[in-house]
Amino acid sequence: MAVLSTPRSAVQLASKGRPVREHLFRIALIASLGIAFVFLAALLSYVLVEGWPRIDSRLWENMPSVRNPDIAGAQSAITGTLWVISLTAVLTLPTGIAAAIYLEEYADKTRWWNRVIELNIQNLAAIPSIVYGILGLGIIARTFGLGFSVITASMTLGLLVLPIVIIASREAIRAVPPSIREGSLALGATQWQTISRQVLPASIPGIATGSILALSRAIGEAAPLLMLGAVSFIRFNPDGVFASYTVLPIQIFNWISQSREGFHVLASAAIVILLLILLLMNSVAIWLRNRYQKRW
Amino acid sequence: MTSGQRRLSAAATAAIVVALSAACGGTNTTPPAGDGTATASQAAGAELSGQVKADGSSTVAPLTSAAAEFFAEEQPKINVTVGTSGTGGGFEKFCNGETDISDASRPIKDEEKAACEAKGVKFSELTVATDALTVVVNKDNTWAKCLTTAQLKKMWEPAADGKITTWKQVDAKFPDEPLKLFGAGTDSGTFDYFTDEINGEEGASRKDYSPSEDDNVTVQGVSGSKGGLGYFGFTYFEENADKLKAVEIDSGDGCVAPSVAAAQDGTYTPLARPLFIYPSAAITKKPEGVAFLDFYVGNISKIATDAKFIPLNPEQEAKLKSDYAALKTQG
């Protein structure tokens, strides 16, 4: 709030000078925010109203059923999503953060290959996810022989969100003032000590936010996993990284295309669960950010 | 790189197992995470374990899923999974040895057979149910009670593209209502079958219609426009009979309405079609595969009725059982 109040009062002061333009601009800004917000609110209220009758313990205690929407649940999809996302985080975050540290702290930016890597990472972030699905199917599932398993899904989703993790982590690392590094080095710390004790802790808030955004993208993906053998009917929770699995977006997609109305209600309820998991992840990011935030 | 990742994934597994067992502490259905991938060969015994992977047609998937669900009451430790890659996508994985049973809404094609042979995947074909592709129109459509296959062809053939836009152009007796077409997406076996039977060539269709893999879109489209027409499986029509009207089909021997009886006795031509499963020879040698297929074939009419499919007629059911028996003795 403190941050917000300063520019606002500045705007109020200035607006006395040329009120019409200022007001128009402000209305345009609020309208932009409003559009995003109205759509989100509409979607949220729709799934809540539609799914309300089925948001109960059956949803996470029961396994899917094609025979009766009243006893059907999404337990295997919920555990599948948790498995896939946790493993994606474990595989992607260390790799992505390490790559970001290299690119920010060690890489010589005057060398052409480092510039090529940079450009490539930015391009990779824009590739449609289904392409990663094809890549995962050809290389991870078939060439590596990992099959249609949790680990294949996680590795593919990991590749999909790795560019986002790298870009966000680099921004966060770059935001640490150079004076902190210089101070640390001047006191005799090695470069690694400077990075691990000063730069990284200081950039955790930004890295966490970026990583959660990346994982949030991964959790909602269905297209690449359709290529990777996420099944639409499974009555077992994954029992290892090589197990068959399904995830919530696929379960939702499957229920929506059923003919019986009861399954459409279930789909909405499952969307609410997916949103809750997302919200939970975002809250963790906010908590991390607040806990580690430093001001210089 | 792979060995590094494998090591990483081992560490990952440990971390996740801990995290998940904490997360799922409240529910008791989670099997213990430690026992890894269960091996199949616990011979005989009342309770088997293991996994049977089915994939393929999204039309057949509800039937196989229903079979899996009933089967779970008998053999709760056999994990039957059902995917919906489409008939073609299912065969692609099946012939690569990645699945055990392929669901199909059309017979396997020659090139798919060749792919299976190249990989040494042997299989057999079992007809498990019947589907009646149903042509539907809007409730307010008072003129198209019965359509001939020639009229359907006039609407759907490639030459109709951009030209046949009103009902009057299909038949002078029909009103001058705009014709709005909704159909199956080009990846589905339903599309292959419909174009083959109506237009005379598989995959040949006009392009300017609304295609969708999701039949709900067709339901909404047709129920929302007076001149709408679409097609999908009979099950889907039954569930939405209050919103749509089914058209009778005349293939030369008079008008026949789609129904369970007409599909079973073969009078609903040419749109009644058989639905198949293709078990691999490998799975018919494993105890968990045999248990599942025994159950599927043995309870086929109960499963089909429950999943709202058109069950086989007694002759077809007898043929299924003898085909399956032959398959088992052959292995």
Side-chain angles (χ1 to χ4, degrees):
Chain A
M1 290 312 278
V3 183
L4 274 178
S5 67
T6 327
R8 184 178 289 166
S9 57
V11 166
Q12 275 163 352
L13 278 178
S15 73
K16 280 175 189 162
R18 34 197 143 95
V20 180
R21 270 206 210 158
E22 286 291 350
H23 279 300
L24 280 180
F25 185 59
R26 191 191 263 187
I27 288 167
L29 289 180
I30 293 172
S32 317
L33 185 70
I35 289 169
F37 195 74
V38 163
F39 275 102
L40 182 68
L43 179 80
L44 271 178
S45 48
Y46 177 78
V47 293
L48 264 178
V49 169
E50 171 94 7
W52 190 251
R54 276 312 308 274
I55 305 176
D56 53 37
S57 62
R58 282 177 294 174
L59 199 57
W60 50 87
E61 279 176 2
N62 292 8
M63 286 294 175
S65 164
V66 286
R67 295 176 45 215
N68 182 0
D70 289 334
I71 57 160
Q75 194 189 60
S76 55
I78 293 171
T79 53
T81 289
L82 292 176
W83 268 89
V84 169
I85 278 310
S86 323
L87 191 56
T88 305
V90 170
L91 292 175
T92 313
L93 300 187
T95 327
I97 295 167
I101 292 173
Y102 171 78
L103 287 170
E104 277 305 310
E105 302 286 326
Y106 292 93
D108 180 352
K109 276 167 205 158
T110 61
R111 301 287 181 194
W112 66 269
W113 56 84
N114 285 323
R115 290 207 303 273
V116 168
I117 290 175
E118 262 196 71
L119 187 68
N120 265 315
I121 289 173
Q122 272 155 19
N123 284 339
L124 280 175
I127 288 179
S129 57
I130 188 78
V131 177
Y132 283 95
I134 297 168
L135 177 91
L137 176 69
I139 297 185
I140 301 170
R142 292 192 174 152
T143 310
F144 290 3
L146 293 173
F148 299 133
S149 56
V150 172
I151 181 103
T152 305
S154 295
M155 281 167 76
T156 308
L157 288 181
L159 290 179
L160 173 72
V161 299
L162 197 55
I164 310 176
V165 175
I166 296 177
I167 292 170
S169 305
R170 287 187 64 185
E171 294 295 335
I173 291 169
R174 204 177 304 155
V176 178
S179 55
I180 300 289
R181 291 185 186 82
E182 285 154 12
S184 169
L185 292 171
L187 289 170
T190 63
Q191 189 174 14
W192 171 241
Q193 286 169 334
T194 303
I195 291 169
S196 61
R197 296 183 198 169
Q198 302 299 331
V199 178
L200 263 189
S203 50
I204 278 179
I207 293 177
T209 312
S211 304
I212 294 290
L213 279 178
L215 291 177
S216 306
R217 178 175 174 196
I219 209 174
E221 281 291 346
L225 298 182
L226 279 174
M227 300 287 306
L228 295 171
V231 292
S232 44
F233 182 83
I234 179 167
R235 295 179 56 86
F236 279 69
N237 294 314
D239 59 358
V241 297
F242 298 108
S244 301
Y245 67 100
T246 191
V247 289
L248 277 168
I250 297 216
Q251 185 71 69
I252 291 165
F253 176 69
N254 180 250
W255 276 336
I256 283 175
S257 57
Q258 300 280 327
S259 52
R260 267 180 282 181
E261 186 59 32
F263 286 112
H264 301 174
V265 176
L266 258 175
S268 294
I271 291 172
V272 174
I273 295 289
L274 186 64
L275 287 173
L276 279 179
I277 296 178
L278 261 175
L279 195 67
L280 201 73
M281 284 168 60
N282 284 323
S283 331
V284 170
I286 291 171
W287 177 78
L288 273 178
R289 194 177 63 206
N290 293 342
R291 187 160 182 323
Y292 289 99
Q293 201 146 43
K294 278 191 187 176
R295 281 177 207 287
W296 287 288
Chain B
M1 174 193 166
T2 48
S3 79
Q5 260 164 353
R6 231 169 257 152
R7 220 176 311 137
L8 204 56
S9 69
T13 318
I16 289 166
V17 166
V18 172
L20 270 186
S21 49
C24 301
T27 61
N28 52 5
T29 39
T30 319
D35 60 9
T37 47
T39 45
S41 50
Q42 294 171 338
E47 265 206 351
L48 296 162
S49 65
Q51 190 172 17
V52 180
K53 291 184 184 179
D55 201 340
S57 164
S58 55
T59 307
V60 188
L63 185 70
T64 304
S65 306
E69 203 173 320
F70 278 120
F71 181 61
E73 289 160 16
E74 273 192 12
Q75 292 283 5
K77 287 192 176 153
I78 298 182
N79 184 4
V80 181
T81 63
V82 185
T84 46
S85 302
T87 302
F91 277 128
E92 201 248 330
K93 286 177 182 159
F94 180 70
C95 292
N96 212 3
E98 290 161 336
T99 57
D100 305 313
I101 296 173
S102 214
D103 293 334
S105 58
R106 55 157 173 78
I108 189 166
K109 291 179 187 171
D110 286 341
E111 63 257 37
E112 289 162 346
K113 269 186 199 163
C116 271
E117 263 165 42
K119 291 271 180 181
V121 173
K122 291 193 184 128
F123 58 86
S124 22
E125 178 183 289
L126 299 174
T127 306
V128 285
T130 307
D131 186 24
L133 272 188
T134 305
V135 177
V136 291
V137 293
N138 190 278
K139 280 249 151 186
D140 296 333
N141 182 325
T142 49
W143 57 89
K145 195 168 174 295
C146 174
L147 291 171
T148 64
T149 45
Q151 286 169 329
L152 282 174
K153 185 177 181 194
K154 208 166 181 184
M155 289 178 201
W156 286 98
E157 67 186 345
D161 212 322
K163 294 205 187 90
I164 307 294
T165 53
T166 67
W167 282 86
K168 206 176 176 64
Q169 288 170 295
V170 177
D171 191 315
K173 278 175 273 175
F174 292 155
D176 199 11
E177 187 75 34
L179 176 66
K180 293 214 172 87
L181 294 173
F182 299 85
T186 52
D187 287 339
S188 65
T190 305
F191 174 81
D192 289 349
Y193 190 83
F194 188 83
T195 48
D196 192 12
E197 292 299 331
I198 297 297
N199 297 338
E201 189 194 338
E202 195 176 294
S205 168
R206 71 188 291 174
K207 304 265 187 306
D208 58 341
Y209 71 102
S210 311
S212 175
E213 300 290 349
D214 181 354
D215 292 336
N216 283 315
V217 175
T218 304
V219 171
Q220 277 165 12
V222 174
S223 60
S225 66
K226 197 177 171 190
L229 180 139
Y231 63 89
F232 41 58
F234 186 66
T235 315
Y236 233 96
F237 167 69
E238 281 198 306
E239 300 280 2
N240 292 286
D242 54 328
K243 296 181 200 135
L244 302 161
K245 252 173 35 181
V247 174
E248 294 173 13
I249 303 294
D250 179 0
S251 59
D253 301 323
C255 296
V256 180
S259 69
V260 171
Q264 279 187 330
D265 63 20
T267 52
Y268 184 67
T269 54
L271 293 178
R273 57 171 176 172
L275 301 174
F276 307 96
I277 58 168
Y278 287 82
S280 72
I283 199 68
T284 52
K285 289 194 184 69
K286 289 188 188 161
E288 67 270 29
V290 173
F292 178 59
L293 286 167
D294 279 351
F295 183 86
Y296 200 154
V297 171
N299 298 283
I300 188 67
S301 67
K302 176 184 154 199
I303 295 165
T305 310
D306 187 85
K308 298 210 166 58
F309 280 69
I310 299 170
L312 301 169
N313 62 35
E315 256 165 72
Q316 291 165 321
E317 193 171 330
K319 185 177 179 301
L320 167 68
K321 288 187 172 151
S322 67
D323 281 355
Y324 179 62
L327 163 73
K328 280 214 299 190
T329 50
Q330 179 192 92

